[in-house]
Amino acid sequence: MGMEGLLSPRVLCLLLWVQLCRGFVQLVGGDSPCSGRVEVHNGKTVCDSDFGPKAAEVVCRELQCGTALSVPGAARFGEGVGPMWDRELQCAGNESLLISCPRGSPRDQPCTHANAVGVTCAQYTGFRLVNGSTACEGRVEVQVLGTWGTLCASRWDLLDAHVLCRHLDCGFAESIPRGGHFGSGTGPVWRDSFHCEGTEAHLGQCPVTALGASPCSPENHAAVICSGHEAELSLCNTSLPESAAAAGIAEDVGVVCAGSRQVRLVKGPGCYAGRVEIYYQGSWGTVCDDGWDLSDAAIVCQQLGCGGAVEAVGSARFGEGSGQLWLDGVNCSGTEAALWDCPAGSWGQHDCAHKEDAGVVCSDFMALRLGNGSNCSGRLQVFYNGTWGSVCSNSMTLQTVSLACKELGCGDAGTLETRLPSGRVSGHTWLDRVECGERNSSFWQCPSAPWDPRSCDDLREETHITCSGRRPETALAVGTVCPNSTSCTDREKIRAVGGESGCSGRVEVWQRGSWGTVCDDSWDMQDAEVACRQLGCGPAVSALDEAAFGEGTGPIWLEQVECRGSEPSLQACWARPGDSGACRHKEDAAVQCSGDFVAAIQCIKEAYEKMERDFLPGPVVVGQEATVLK
Ligand SMILES: *[C@@H]1O[C@H](CO)[C@@H](O)[C@H](O)[C@H]1NC(C)=O
Ligand SMILES: *[C@@H]1O[C@H](CO)[C@@H](O)[C@H](O)[C@H]1NC(C)=O
Ligand SMILES: *[C@@H]1O[C@H](CO)[C@@H](O)[C@H](O)[C@H]1NC(C)=O
Ligand SMILES: *[C@@H]1O[C@H](CO)[C@@H](O)[C@H](O)[C@H]1NC(C)=O
């Protein structure tokens, strides 16, 4: 066998990238990817004496986790198992990748796993309640990258408040007083909206949006009165504390307790659009579309804190659910606090099938796409209040463009187009002055001017971008776009989740109205070849098992996939349906495809430059061949 076949420069580069650059550092053993024990270079534990606050800053930046909050040593996040990393990481603090940091010489004193270093990264570095008569009530102040400020209450609700109360060891939220009850602070006012489900450990774990938020009046600062810590124990009992019942929050409190009623939609960046699902008597079920209209949809949106309803969707346009059909003939008047308070047939009584499942689109539901363009290049458009509109380019920076590309699944870098047409824009122009900063890890968190359908009126002001990656999947399902529509191609019924560019990750396929995973039983290179081809990501580099890119949720659609390698799609390969229950998500299959090449080149270039700096002292004469790499 010739060497070329085995180690083409392309495959070699890619392997180098996978081994050295991507995933050089990981945080493990914490409660999120942004907190845990530091592991570098395939799982080597790092000693606390070799790793300082500057290295921690680089790690948090590389992992897109904000800033370093603490760097605990002494195995705070548990001890590792593998070998120890044996030299100091001497970062300046401004590197983009930990692998770029200079390293000291090997240590002569041994270091043990008991000295394993950890890092906790966060953009929110503190939460507190001020100006209340007890420690468990007051105005909500949030510390962002070291600066305390007051939180605006525009989307502050009881679920968010519960999370804060519990985090502060103050029980649950009894009420969220409005009207500047606890005065106003002197610091900045954060317009971040938290979208908590009520079960998160702290607000920093809830999805956050800030895009398009309106200025905050002093009467609109977030506040909460918590029950106090002793009330916590009785919270999930059927006999709720008197105060909780009186405050009318029994339903909301229920979210943190098993066995109560809940409502959910398919997750968006913060607010939602999707099939309505209700949790009742221990199982999730759907709602029939008979008589389903905007006033019913409005109750759902309001209940979720997602504004008004822009569309009541029927005929399982967001896919067919499974299990119970809980409600039929829902006829809300508009004053109800929850969907189940509306007049309707009794629970589980219906003459419907899942093909009639109801859905909603809420006004605060947001999505991003590139209009008028091909693949990962075009006019940046945002979906809000039921309408697509463009984004003005005032104050647009590369940081903002890169977060937009990331959100679109088009790689993590891009450029702003400069050759633009002139003339007037038609349609909505939703956003102006989107200013993403270092503290933002998603496009939706970036501050901007408030939503306004007339944000810019000249075509030259519209944002057109070109991203470095390729698009792995159609943007979030709005209306009948793929993969919901019956006219979708196989290409649109697969995605790679958890990688950076959409060309590697956990393999998920679309079936019967939802995304599900593939079991790793007999998952091999032939199967990966087919998946990579279907993804449009070139040849496969590796077939990975045991949830290498994390565990999925939802159904496991395929088990024991047996592709020959030449099939056009995974769906065309022989496989067992995954509903036998034989597999679990810890066996989710994943792929790495060669389409990650663009990112690989960038990393290798950085590594090469660093090697040149470190190992070739004195003036360097770079030959023709070498310059090619630069
Ligand atoms: C506390 O709240 C009161 C009103 O309830 C207000 O007069 C006072 O200025 C507030 N103090 C601070 C520090 O915000
Ligand atoms: C709920 O309260 C009842 C009576 O007050 C008690 O017997 C029961 O153990 C409690 N259940 C839980 C889960 O705390
Ligand atoms: C819905 O409720 C209204 C009263 O709020 C009533 O007039 C109407 O007939 C009801 N519709 C159905 C289909 O039951
Ligand atoms: C959203 O749409 C509704 C109804 O179409 C309209 O009344 C409201 O003003 C819109 N909101 C914005 C911010 O444009």
Side-chain angles (χ1 to χ4, degrees), residues 121-403:
C121 317
Q123 42 185 319
Y124 301 105
T125 41
F127 302 97
R128 66 184 182 194
L129 297 175
V130 299
N131 204 10
S133 55
T134 72
C136 288
E137 61 174 54
R139 191 177 71 247
V140 178
E141 289 203 346
V142 177
Q143 192 187 38
V144 176
L145 300 185
T147 306
W148 286 101
T150 295
L151 187 68
C152 186
S154 52
R155 287 277 173 263
W156 181 244
D157 65 16
L158 271 167
L159 295 183
D160 307 329
H162 280 315
V163 172
L164 182 61
C165 290
R166 184 162 357 88
H167 173 206
L168 296 176
D169 201 15
C170 283
F172 61 91
E174 286 189 345
S175 64
I176 45 175
R178 306 273 173 189
H181 201 76
F182 295 104
S184 48
T186 51
V189 177
W190 309 122
R191 286 186 280 159
D192 304 31
S193 303
F194 294 93
H195 303 270
C196 305
E197 289 178 357
T199 53
E200 295 87 351
H202 57 83
L203 287 176
Q205 289 181 348
C206 305
V208 179
T209 59
L211 200 68
S214 300
C216 200
S217 65
E219 308 77 58
N220 200 22
H221 292 169
V224 60
I225 296 176
C226 307
S227 64
H229 62 91
E230 71 282 0
E232 176 91 84
L233 288 176
S234 48
L235 183 57
C236 292
N237 210 321
T238 42
S239 51
L240 274 168
E242 205 56 29
S243 56
I249 60 168
E251 292 296 348
D252 302 276
V253 168
V255 169
V256 297
C257 307
S260 56
R261 292 177 286 186
Q262 299 172 47
V263 63
R264 72 175 181 193
L265 302 174
V266 171
K267 250 191 153 119
C271 275
Y272 313 95
R275 182 174 63 236
V276 178
E277 297 200 341
I278 299 178
Y279 187 77
Y280 179 68
Q281 289 186 343
S283 70
W284 286 99
T286 61
V287 176
C288 181
D289 66 6
D290 289 349
W292 184 250
D293 62 16
L294 261 187
S295 53
D296 306 324
I299 297 296
V300 174
C301 292
Q302 194 186 310
Q303 200 181 342
L304 292 165
C306 287
V310 292
E311 203 183 343
V313 172
S315 308
R317 210 176 81 199
F318 286 113
E320 294 180 19
S322 55
Q324 293 280 353
L325 239 153
W326 278 131
L327 293 177
D328 186 16
V330 178
N331 185 15
C332 306
S333 68
T335 56
E336 295 87 353
L339 188 60
W340 40 81
D341 297 336
C342 300
S346 30
W347 287 94
Q349 296 296 306
H350 63 86
D351 53 1
C352 304
H354 279 301
K355 65 178 197 299
E356 295 162 84
D357 282 343
V360 302
V361 179
C362 300
S363 62
D364 282 358
F365 172 72
M366 301 182 288
L368 208 59
R369 73 175 183 191
L370 290 171
N372 283 8
S374 62
N375 205 5
C376 281
S377 174
R379 176 160 63 130
L380 189 61
Q381 291 186 309
V382 62
F383 185 87
Y384 179 74
N385 208 18
T387 312
W388 288 101
S390 43
V391 179
C392 318
S393 57
N394 295 307
S395 2
M396 184 68 55
T397 62
L398 285 182
Q399 173 103 11
T400 303
V401 172
S402 69
L403 283 181

Side-chain angles (χ1 to χ4, degrees), residues 69-123:
L69 199 58
S70 62
V71 194
R76 168 85 64 79
F77 291 102
E79 299 191 3
V81 283
M84 298 290 298
W85 177 254
D86 70 348
R87 42 191 80 192
E88 192 184 355
L89 289 157
Q90 301 164 332
C91 305
N94 59 0
E95 294 89 349
S96 55
L97 299 170
L98 188 66
I99 198 171
S100 313
C101 294
R103 298 159 200 184
S105 44
R107 160 174 19 79
D108 35 13
Q109 243 137 48
C111 185
T112 68
H113 282 292
N115 300 102
V117 73
V119 172
T120 295
C121 317
Q123 42 185 319

Side-chain angles (χ1 to χ4, degrees), residues 8 33-34 60 62 76 79 127 205 273 312 375 383 390 442 485 514 544 559 564 566-567 603:
S8 70
C34 292
C60 293
E62 172 169 352
R76 168 85 64 79
E79 299 191 3
F127 302 97
Q205 289 181 348
N375 205 5
F383 185 87
S390 43
S442 106
S485 150
S514 67
L544 303 165
E559 201 183 296
R564 287 186 306 271
S566 54
E567 294 88 345
C603 164

